[in-house]
Structure formats: C-alpha cells, structure tokens
Short mmCIF file of all heavy atoms in Angstrom, two decimals:
data_model
loop_
_atom_site.label_atom_id
_atom_site.label_comp_id
_atom_site.label_asym_id
_atom_site.label_seq_id
_atom_site.Cartn_x
_atom_site.Cartn_y
_atom_site.Cartn_z
N HIS A 611 -26.74 10.55 -20.89
CA HIS A 611 -27.42 9.51 -20.11
C HIS A 611 -28.15 8.55 -21.06
O HIS A 611 -28.55 8.93 -22.15
CB HIS A 611 -28.41 10.18 -19.15
CG HIS A 611 -28.96 9.25 -18.13
ND1 HIS A 611 -30.03 8.44 -18.39
CD2 HIS A 611 -28.58 9.02 -16.86
CE1 HIS A 611 -30.30 7.73 -17.31
NE2 HIS A 611 -29.43 8.06 -16.36
N THR A 612 -28.34 7.33 -20.60
CA THR A 612 -29.04 6.33 -21.42
C THR A 612 -30.49 6.72 -21.71
O THR A 612 -31.08 6.20 -22.65
CB THR A 612 -29.01 4.95 -20.74
OG1 THR A 612 -29.51 5.08 -19.41
CG2 THR A 612 -27.60 4.40 -20.71
N ASN A 613 -31.05 7.63 -20.94
CA ASN A 613 -32.41 8.12 -21.18
C ASN A 613 -32.44 9.36 -22.06
O ASN A 613 -33.46 10.03 -22.15
CB ASN A 613 -33.12 8.42 -19.86
CG ASN A 613 -33.40 7.17 -19.07
OD1 ASN A 613 -33.49 6.09 -19.63
ND2 ASN A 613 -33.51 7.30 -17.77
N ALA A 614 -31.35 9.68 -22.71
CA ALA A 614 -31.25 10.92 -23.50
C ALA A 614 -31.72 10.73 -24.94
O ALA A 614 -31.22 11.37 -25.85
CB ALA A 614 -29.83 11.45 -23.46
N ASP A 615 -32.66 9.84 -25.16
CA ASP A 615 -33.22 9.59 -26.48
C ASP A 615 -32.15 9.32 -27.52
O ASP A 615 -31.36 8.43 -27.37
CB ASP A 615 -34.14 10.73 -26.91
CG ASP A 615 -35.36 10.85 -26.01
OD1 ASP A 615 -35.81 9.80 -25.51
OD2 ASP A 615 -35.85 11.96 -25.80
N ARG A 616 -32.09 10.14 -28.55
CA ARG A 616 -31.20 9.90 -29.69
C ARG A 616 -29.72 10.05 -29.35
O ARG A 616 -28.87 9.62 -30.12
CB ARG A 616 -31.55 10.85 -30.83
CG ARG A 616 -32.92 10.58 -31.39
CD ARG A 616 -33.20 11.50 -32.57
NE ARG A 616 -34.60 11.41 -32.89
CZ ARG A 616 -35.45 12.41 -32.83
NH1 ARG A 616 -35.03 13.60 -32.48
NH2 ARG A 616 -36.71 12.24 -33.13
N LYS A 617 -29.39 10.69 -28.26
CA LYS A 617 -27.98 10.93 -27.91
C LYS A 617 -27.44 9.94 -26.88
O LYS A 617 -26.28 10.04 -26.49
CB LYS A 617 -27.81 12.36 -27.41
CG LYS A 617 -28.00 13.39 -28.49
CD LYS A 617 -27.42 14.71 -28.03
CE LYS A 617 -27.39 15.70 -29.12
NZ LYS A 617 -26.20 15.61 -29.96
N ALA A 618 -28.23 9.00 -26.46
CA ALA A 618 -27.82 8.07 -25.39
C ALA A 618 -26.44 7.49 -25.66
O ALA A 618 -26.15 6.98 -26.73
CB ALA A 618 -28.84 6.95 -25.26
N LEU A 619 -25.58 7.63 -24.66
CA LEU A 619 -24.20 7.13 -24.64
C LEU A 619 -23.24 7.82 -25.60
O LEU A 619 -22.07 7.49 -25.63
CB LEU A 619 -24.15 5.61 -24.83
CG LEU A 619 -24.85 4.79 -23.73
CD1 LEU A 619 -24.74 3.32 -24.05
CD2 LEU A 619 -24.29 5.10 -22.36
N GLN A 620 -23.71 8.79 -26.36
CA GLN A 620 -22.78 9.58 -27.18
C GLN A 620 -21.97 10.47 -26.25
O GLN A 620 -22.45 10.91 -25.20
CB GLN A 620 -23.54 10.46 -28.18
CG GLN A 620 -24.22 9.70 -29.29
CD GLN A 620 -24.95 10.63 -30.23
OE1 GLN A 620 -24.58 11.79 -30.39
NE2 GLN A 620 -26.01 10.13 -30.83
N TYR A 621 -20.74 10.75 -26.65
CA TYR A 621 -19.91 11.62 -25.83
C TYR A 621 -20.34 13.07 -26.00
O TYR A 621 -20.76 13.50 -27.07
CB TYR A 621 -18.43 11.48 -26.22
CG TYR A 621 -17.85 10.18 -25.75
CD1 TYR A 621 -17.67 9.11 -26.62
CD2 TYR A 621 -17.50 10.01 -24.41
CE1 TYR A 621 -17.16 7.91 -26.17
CE2 TYR A 621 -16.99 8.81 -23.96
CZ TYR A 621 -16.82 7.76 -24.85
OH TYR A 621 -16.32 6.58 -24.39
N LEU A 622 -20.25 13.82 -24.90
CA LEU A 622 -20.53 15.25 -24.94
C LEU A 622 -19.46 15.94 -25.77
O LEU A 622 -18.31 15.49 -25.78
CB LEU A 622 -20.53 15.85 -23.53
CG LEU A 622 -21.42 15.21 -22.47
CD1 LEU A 622 -21.26 15.96 -21.16
CD2 LEU A 622 -22.86 15.18 -22.90
N ASP A 623 -19.82 17.05 -26.40
CA ASP A 623 -18.77 17.81 -27.08
C ASP A 623 -17.91 18.48 -26.02
O ASP A 623 -18.32 18.67 -24.88
CB ASP A 623 -19.35 18.80 -28.09
CG ASP A 623 -20.18 19.89 -27.45
OD1 ASP A 623 -19.63 20.66 -26.64
OD2 ASP A 623 -21.38 20.00 -27.79
N SER A 624 -16.70 18.83 -26.40
CA SER A 624 -15.71 19.37 -25.45
C SER A 624 -16.21 20.63 -24.75
O SER A 624 -15.96 20.82 -23.56
CB SER A 624 -14.40 19.67 -26.17
OG SER A 624 -13.84 18.49 -26.66
N GLU A 625 -16.90 21.49 -25.48
CA GLU A 625 -17.39 22.75 -24.89
C GLU A 625 -18.40 22.48 -23.78
O GLU A 625 -18.33 23.07 -22.70
CB GLU A 625 -18.02 23.61 -25.98
CG GLU A 625 -18.48 24.96 -25.48
CD GLU A 625 -19.10 25.78 -26.60
OE1 GLU A 625 -18.55 25.81 -27.71
OE2 GLU A 625 -20.15 26.40 -26.34
N PHE A 626 -19.34 21.60 -24.02
CA PHE A 626 -20.36 21.27 -23.02
C PHE A 626 -19.69 20.59 -21.81
O PHE A 626 -20.01 20.89 -20.66
CB PHE A 626 -21.43 20.38 -23.64
CG PHE A 626 -22.67 20.16 -22.82
CD1 PHE A 626 -22.98 20.94 -21.70
CD2 PHE A 626 -23.58 19.19 -23.18
CE1 PHE A 626 -24.13 20.74 -20.96
CE2 PHE A 626 -24.74 18.97 -22.46
CZ PHE A 626 -25.01 19.74 -21.35
N TRP A 627 -18.75 19.69 -22.07
CA TRP A 627 -18.05 19.01 -20.99
C TRP A 627 -17.25 20.00 -20.14
O TRP A 627 -17.30 19.95 -18.91
CB TRP A 627 -17.15 17.92 -21.57
CG TRP A 627 -16.39 17.15 -20.54
CD1 TRP A 627 -15.04 17.11 -20.40
CD2 TRP A 627 -16.93 16.32 -19.50
NE1 TRP A 627 -14.70 16.30 -19.34
CE2 TRP A 627 -15.84 15.81 -18.77
CE3 TRP A 627 -18.22 15.98 -19.11
CZ2 TRP A 627 -16.00 14.95 -17.68
CZ3 TRP A 627 -18.37 15.12 -18.01
CH2 TRP A 627 -17.28 14.63 -17.32
N LEU A 628 -16.54 20.92 -20.78
CA LEU A 628 -15.80 21.94 -20.03
C LEU A 628 -16.75 22.80 -19.20
O LEU A 628 -16.44 23.17 -18.07
CB LEU A 628 -14.99 22.83 -20.98
CG LEU A 628 -13.65 22.29 -21.42
CD1 LEU A 628 -13.05 23.17 -22.51
CD2 LEU A 628 -12.69 22.17 -20.25
N HIS A 629 -17.90 23.11 -19.76
CA HIS A 629 -18.90 23.89 -19.02
C HIS A 629 -19.35 23.13 -17.76
O HIS A 629 -19.45 23.72 -16.68
CB HIS A 629 -20.10 24.20 -19.92
CG HIS A 629 -21.20 24.88 -19.20
ND1 HIS A 629 -21.14 26.22 -18.87
CD2 HIS A 629 -22.38 24.41 -18.71
CE1 HIS A 629 -22.25 26.54 -18.22
NE2 HIS A 629 -23.00 25.47 -18.11
N GLN A 630 -19.59 21.84 -17.90
CA GLN A 630 -20.01 21.04 -16.75
C GLN A 630 -18.91 21.01 -15.68
O GLN A 630 -19.18 21.22 -14.49
CB GLN A 630 -20.37 19.62 -17.18
CG GLN A 630 -21.66 19.56 -17.96
CD GLN A 630 -22.07 18.14 -18.25
OE1 GLN A 630 -21.42 17.17 -17.85
NE2 GLN A 630 -23.16 17.99 -18.97
N LEU A 631 -17.69 20.76 -16.11
CA LEU A 631 -16.58 20.75 -15.15
C LEU A 631 -16.42 22.09 -14.44
O LEU A 631 -16.20 22.13 -13.22
CB LEU A 631 -15.27 20.39 -15.87
CG LEU A 631 -15.14 18.95 -16.37
CD1 LEU A 631 -13.90 18.82 -17.25
CD2 LEU A 631 -15.10 17.96 -15.22
N THR A 632 -16.54 23.17 -15.17
CA THR A 632 -16.39 24.51 -14.59
C THR A 632 -17.51 24.81 -13.61
O THR A 632 -17.27 25.36 -12.53
CB THR A 632 -16.33 25.57 -15.71
OG1 THR A 632 -15.26 25.25 -16.58
CG2 THR A 632 -16.13 26.97 -15.15
N THR A 633 -18.73 24.43 -13.95
CA THR A 633 -19.87 24.65 -13.04
C THR A 633 -19.65 23.90 -11.73
O THR A 633 -19.82 24.47 -10.65
CB THR A 633 -21.18 24.20 -13.72
OG1 THR A 633 -21.38 24.96 -14.91
CG2 THR A 633 -22.37 24.38 -12.78
N VAL A 634 -19.27 22.65 -11.84
CA VAL A 634 -19.04 21.84 -10.63
C VAL A 634 -17.85 22.40 -9.84
O VAL A 634 -17.90 22.47 -8.61
CB VAL A 634 -18.84 20.36 -11.02
CG1 VAL A 634 -18.30 19.55 -9.86
CG2 VAL A 634 -20.16 19.78 -11.51
N TYR A 635 -16.83 22.82 -10.52
CA TYR A 635 -15.66 23.42 -9.85
C TYR A 635 -16.07 24.65 -9.02
O TYR A 635 -15.63 24.81 -7.89
CB TYR A 635 -14.61 23.79 -10.89
CG TYR A 635 -13.38 24.44 -10.31
CD1 TYR A 635 -12.39 23.68 -9.70
CD2 TYR A 635 -13.21 25.82 -10.38
CE1 TYR A 635 -11.26 24.28 -9.17
CE2 TYR A 635 -12.08 26.42 -9.86
CZ TYR A 635 -11.11 25.65 -9.26
OH TYR A 635 -9.99 26.25 -8.73
N ARG A 636 -16.92 25.48 -9.60
CA ARG A 636 -17.36 26.71 -8.92
C ARG A 636 -18.26 26.43 -7.72
O ARG A 636 -18.23 27.14 -6.73
CB ARG A 636 -18.13 27.61 -9.89
CG ARG A 636 -17.31 28.39 -10.85
CD ARG A 636 -18.12 29.44 -11.63
NE ARG A 636 -19.55 29.37 -11.43
CZ ARG A 636 -20.43 28.91 -12.33
NH1 ARG A 636 -20.02 28.48 -13.50
NH2 ARG A 636 -21.72 28.89 -12.06
N MET A 637 -19.07 25.37 -7.80
CA MET A 637 -20.14 25.19 -6.82
C MET A 637 -19.94 24.02 -5.85
O MET A 637 -20.66 23.94 -4.87
CB MET A 637 -21.47 24.99 -7.55
CG MET A 637 -21.90 26.18 -8.39
SD MET A 637 -23.55 25.97 -9.06
CE MET A 637 -24.54 26.18 -7.56
N CYS A 638 -19.00 23.13 -6.14
CA CYS A 638 -18.90 21.90 -5.34
C CYS A 638 -17.51 21.73 -4.75
O CYS A 638 -16.64 22.58 -4.93
CB CYS A 638 -19.26 20.70 -6.22
SG CYS A 638 -20.96 20.77 -6.86
N ASP A 639 -17.34 20.62 -4.08
CA ASP A 639 -16.08 20.34 -3.37
C ASP A 639 -15.21 19.31 -4.07
O ASP A 639 -14.16 18.93 -3.56
CB ASP A 639 -16.41 19.84 -1.95
CG ASP A 639 -17.26 20.86 -1.21
OD1 ASP A 639 -16.76 21.97 -0.96
OD2 ASP A 639 -18.44 20.55 -0.92
N GLY A 640 -15.62 18.87 -5.23
CA GLY A 640 -14.88 17.88 -5.99
C GLY A 640 -15.79 17.31 -7.05
O GLY A 640 -16.91 17.80 -7.26
N VAL A 641 -15.33 16.27 -7.72
CA VAL A 641 -16.13 15.63 -8.76
C VAL A 641 -15.70 14.18 -8.90
O VAL A 641 -14.54 13.84 -8.66
CB VAL A 641 -15.99 16.37 -10.12
CG1 VAL A 641 -14.57 16.31 -10.65
CG2 VAL A 641 -16.98 15.86 -11.15
#
C-alpha cells in the first residue's frame, strides 16, 4: 500500500502473495 512507508508500491514477494491468495481462497467467495 502507498502508506507502507519504505515499501510503498513495491511488489510483494511470491511467498507472501501466495499466502494472501490462499487465505482469501479459504475464507472468501472470490477475489
């Protein structure tokens, strides 16, 4: 996020991104 201080707009690493996708997959109806 743009409010993420030093990391603003940097891409997430693949592991963190996969974790986010998996969490949403388990708990939600889409993304």
Side-chain angles (χ1 to χ4, degrees):
H611 192 276
T612 53
N613 292 336
D615 295 328
R616 295 183 191 118
K617 291 197 171 275
L619 298 179
Q620 290 179 28
Y621 287 102
L622 306 180
D623 64 62
S624 296
E625 183 180 317
F626 191 14
W627 181 244
L628 277 172
H629 175 76
Q630 289 186 2
L631 290 171
T632 303
T633 299
V634 167
Y635 178 79
R636 282 190 352 254
M637 298 187 72
C638 299
D639 303 296
V641 64

